Amino acid sequence: QISWTPLLVLGYLFYLLLGAMVFQLLEKQAETHFRDQFQLEKLKFLQNYTCLDRQALERFVQVLMEAWEKGVNPEGNSTNPSNWDFSNSFFFAGTVVTTIGYGNLSPSTVAGQIFCVFYALFGVPLNLAFLNQLGKGLNAHLITLERWVQKPGRAKVVQTLAVAIFLTTGTLLFLVFPPLVFSYVEGWSYGEGFYFTFITLSTIGFGDYVVGTNPNKHYIPVYRSLTAIWIVFGLAWLALVFNVGADLMEKFLQLKWHKPDLSLAEGATIKLEDEPEQPRIHIPS
C-alpha cells in the first residue's frame, strides 16, 4: 500500500502555483492597462480644470474610495436608496452567516461591528447546522432514488441515469437558469451572471459582482431577499456536489483504507442482504 499523502500535498501546492501563474498571465497586463488609463484620465482632468492641483485631485479620489468602502455609491446624490433598508440588511445578514462576505457593504459603526462579530459567532454554526439538515434531506431523496432502481429487474445503467438526473436538475436550478435572471435584471452578460452564481454559491464571494447595487436600476423590494433564499438552497446543493467530488478524489488517491477488525468473529463482518445500505454521499456535520 502506497501512502498518497505526500503526493497529495505536492499536488495541492502545484495546483496553487499553477493557478497563481495563470491568473498573473491573464490579469496583470489588463491591470497595467487600466492603471495607465486611469493616470491618463487624471492628467486630462487637470488640464481641463486648471483651478485644481494634483494634490487636491488625489484627495478627492481618496474621498471617493472611502465612500465606496463604506458602501456609499459615489454616483447620484443623497436621494439614492439606502444600502441599509430591510431588503439589503436581510441580504447582508445572509452573506454574514454563510461566510460569503462580498465586501461591498460592511458595518461602519462600532456597535454594528461588535454586533456583527457576535451575530456571526452564533449564526455561522446555525447556518452550518441548517445546511447539514438540508443536505441530509437532499441526500435522503438521492438514496431513495438509488434504492428504487436497485430492485430486481432494473439495470445498473438505470441507477446511474437516475443519479445523473438528480445532479442535472440541481445544475439547471442553481447554476444554469439563475444567470439568465441576473443577466436580464442586472444587465450582465450570461458569462458574468454564471461567474457571479458560482462565486456566490461556493462562498468565495469576491464582491466584484453583487446583485441589486446598480443605482441606475429600479429593483423590486424583495429582489435581494429572494436572492438570499436562493443562495441558501444553492449552498446546500453545491456542498453536496463538493462532498461527492472530494469523496471520489479521496478514493482515486486511495486515501481511504478499510481495514477489517481482526477481533471480530469471522462471520461478523458479513453484511446481511436485508440490511439497509449506508449512504454513499453525506454532508459532514
Side-chain angles (χ1 to χ4, degrees):
Q1 295 180 352
I2 302 175
S3 176
W4 288 89
T5 302
L7 292 179
L8 180 61
V9 173
L10 292 176
Y12 183 74
L13 293 177
F14 173 77
Y15 195 76
L16 294 179
L17 292 174
L18 177 63
M21 290 187 295
V22 173
F23 284 127
Q24 183 182 27
L25 180 65
L26 295 176
E27 299 295 332
K28 188 175 182 179
Q29 186 176 358
E31 179 199 31
T32 303
H33 173 73
F34 289 138
R35 181 180 294 147
D36 295 340
Q37 191 71 21
F38 180 66
Q39 295 298 328
L40 182 60
E41 291 295 329
K42 287 198 297 184
L43 290 176
K44 290 181 179 180
F45 187 84
L46 289 173
Q47 291 174 357
N48 294 331
Y49 299 93
T50 55
C51 58
L52 284 175
D53 57 11
R54 178 176 291 274
Q55 185 176 1
L57 179 60
E58 294 294 341
R59 174 56 185 165
F60 182 68
V61 171
Q62 183 179 358
V63 171
L64 292 179
M65 293 179 62
E66 291 176 354
W68 183 264
E69 291 174 356
K70 296 296 183 181
V72 178
N73 196 314
E75 299 183 52
N77 49 44
S78 59
T79 61
N80 287 344
S82 172
N83 288 323
W84 292 103
D85 57 18
F86 180 79
S87 179
N88 289 334
S89 299
F90 182 84
F91 185 79
F92 174 76
T95 63
V96 170
V97 299
T98 57
T99 69
I100 295 175
Y102 287 116
N104 68 308
L105 187 64
S106 58
S108 58
T109 63
V110 176
Q113 292 169 349
I114 294 177
F115 175 76
C116 185
V117 170
F118 288 97
Y119 183 76
L121 185 63
F122 294 97
V124 171
L126 176 63
N127 175 73
L128 292 176
F130 173 76
L131 292 180
N132 184 41
Q133 289 301 117
L134 191 59
K136 287 180 179 178
L138 295 174
N139 191 45
H141 288 292
L142 181 59
I143 294 171
T144 302
L145 194 60
E146 289 180 345
R147 288 176 177 172
W148 183 84
V149 298
Q150 283 175 348
K151 292 182 178 179
R154 297 188 175 97
K156 190 73 174 180
V157 70
V158 179
Q159 177 187 1
T160 305
L161 181 61
V163 177
I165 293 175
F166 181 85
L167 296 177
T168 302
T169 303
T171 301
L172 293 175
L173 288 177
F174 298 114
L175 290 179
V176 176
F177 290 151
L180 295 174
V181 178
F182 297 137
S183 299
Y184 175 77
V185 176
E186 302 290 342
W188 300 337
S189 66
Y190 183 83
E192 291 171 330
F194 183 81
Y195 166 80
F196 163 79
T197 299
F198 182 81
I199 292 300
T200 294
L201 297 185
S202 59
T203 71
I204 297 173
F206 289 125
D208 48 353
Y209 289 89
V210 183
V211 296
T213 57
N214 191 336
N216 299 320
K217 291 185 176 294
H218 178 70
Y219 302 98
I220 60 175
V222 296
Y223 172 60
R224 299 191 83 184
S225 299
L226 292 176
T227 304
I229 296 174
W230 162 78
I231 288 174
V232 170
F233 286 92
L235 284 173
W237 177 83
L238 195 59
L240 179 64
V241 174
F242 283 159
N243 282 336
V244 173
D247 186 59
L248 293 176
M249 190 168 293
E250 287 178 352
K251 290 180 179 179
F252 176 76
L253 296 176
Q254 301 179 10
L255 291 177
K256 289 184 177 180
W257 298 102
H258 301 285
K259 298 180 179 180
D261 190 351
L262 300 179
S263 63
L264 298 177
E266 180 178 356
T269 58
I270 300 176
K271 187 178 180 180
L272 299 178
E273 292 182 358
D274 57 346
E275 181 182 351
E277 289 189 0
Q278 294 298 321
R280 295 187 300 105
I281 303 170
H282 67 279
I283 301 294
S285 57

